[in-house]
Amino acid sequence: MKKLFVTFTFLVIGLFVTRAQEPFFAVKKGMILEYANKNAKGKINDGMRYTILETEVDGDNITVAYQVDLLDKKMDKINENPIEVKLKVIDGTIEFDPGSAFGKIMEGVEIKGTGLTLPENLSAGQKLKDYEMSIMSLGVESKATNVIVESQEDITVEAGTFNAYKVTCNLNSKALFIKTQGKSAAWYVRGIGHVRINNYNNKGKLISYTELINVE
């Protein structure tokens, strides 16, 4: 549960969205996104399902309410109670309140940090802001540096083929007293969000990935 919880945290901690174009996450009411977290050989460890419940637009501001279901390796739901999350986009910047969801998963969890920022116009070679987060009660800290838009390209995942922006970064993490270094590559699609996130060790070897396997 802890591993799945931390993975979920990284995926939703924050994205900048544009007002002029479709944002980099799902906003269509009733839309369902199903993700699988897999090891390097493609074996499913666990997963997540997002269901968009409601979207409210007030000028340049957007509020998206969605439900998160945690899934086991058979992709069966494991949380008994609904986990509801609200994302507030104020003047183009998303504000995520971790307490609205994570308190229902694990008591006493406090999350601090900043999220990935994706500006309206992306281009290959563009450098983005570094970001970081910490979950003090779990002894987890992570910082992403050298965040770069590597390319705009088509990527094929289990859910289909999408035109995405590939964003890479260096990751420095600490879990309890264990420090690790690695890299990450994520593909973001307008109107959906991430469709794949690859996690590499410090030698560039793929160790795990998250993949969109179904969208409705």
Side-chain angles (χ1 to χ4, degrees):
M1 173 67 77
K2 182 183 292 187
K3 180 180 178 182
L4 180 57
F5 173 76
V6 173
T7 301
F8 171 62
T9 303
F10 277 103
L11 296 182
V12 299
I13 192 171
L15 289 173
F16 177 92
V17 298
T18 170
R19 290 161 286 174
Q21 302 186 62
E22 227 180 348
F24 285 100
F25 63 86
V27 296
K28 184 178 179 181
K29 182 178 179 179
M31 192 173 188
I32 299 174
L33 305 172
E34 194 168 76
Y35 293 91
N37 299 318
K38 303 180 180 182
N39 64 20
K41 295 182 178 180
K43 182 179 179 181
I44 296 177
N45 294 320
D46 46 50
M48 290 164 287
R49 182 185 300 117
Y50 300 161
T51 303
I52 307 304
L53 302 176
E54 201 72 49
T55 300
E56 298 180 3
V57 179
D58 181 13
D60 289 335
N61 302 330
I62 306 173
T63 300
V64 181
Y66 63 96
Q67 178 176 313
V68 179
D69 291 316
L70 307 181
L71 311 176
D72 61 19
K73 63 182 179 180
K74 295 182 179 179
M75 301 305 285
D76 292 327
K77 180 179 174 181
I78 59 177
N79 53 294
E80 295 181 0
N81 300 317
I83 303 169
E84 294 187 6
V85 182
K86 280 192 175 182
L87 297 176
K88 293 184 178 181
V89 185
I90 308 298
D91 292 330
T93 301
I94 192 168
E95 295 181 356
F96 173 67
D97 178 11
S100 67
F102 298 117
K104 299 179 182 179
I105 305 174
M106 192 176 296
E107 296 292 337
V109 173
E110 182 180 6
I111 302 168
K112 295 182 179 180
T114 57
L116 172 63
T117 297
L118 295 177
E120 178 176 352
N121 297 308
L122 298 178
S123 59
Q126 183 176 357
K127 184 171 175 56
L128 306 179
K129 293 181 180 180
D130 295 347
Y131 59 98
E132 60 186 332
M133 64 156 288
S134 63
I135 309 174
M136 300 309 297
S137 59
L138 298 180
V140 174
E141 297 179 31
S142 184
K143 184 173 183 178
T145 60
N146 195 31
V147 186
I148 294 175
V149 180
E150 187 171 297
S151 62
Q152 181 180 2
E153 61 188 38
D154 288 339
I155 181 171
T156 299
V157 296
E158 192 170 332
T161 299
F162 303 89
N163 186 259
Y165 292 91
K166 180 181 180 181
V167 178
T168 60
C169 67
N170 297 328
L171 291 175
N172 291 281
S173 303
K174 182 175 73 172
L176 297 178
F177 301 104
I178 301 175
K179 295 182 179 180
T180 60
Q181 293 181 328
K183 296 184 178 182
S184 174
W187 287 261
Y188 294 97
V189 176
R190 295 190 187 280
I192 291 180
H194 66 280
V195 295
R196 179 162 172 139
I197 299 177
N198 287 359
N199 300 305
Y200 305 92
N201 63 17
N202 60 352
K203 295 182 179 180
K205 182 180 179 180
L206 179 68
I207 55 176
S208 64
Y209 64 96
T210 296
E211 181 179 34
L212 180 65
I213 63 172
N214 186 50
V215 56
E216 300 178 10

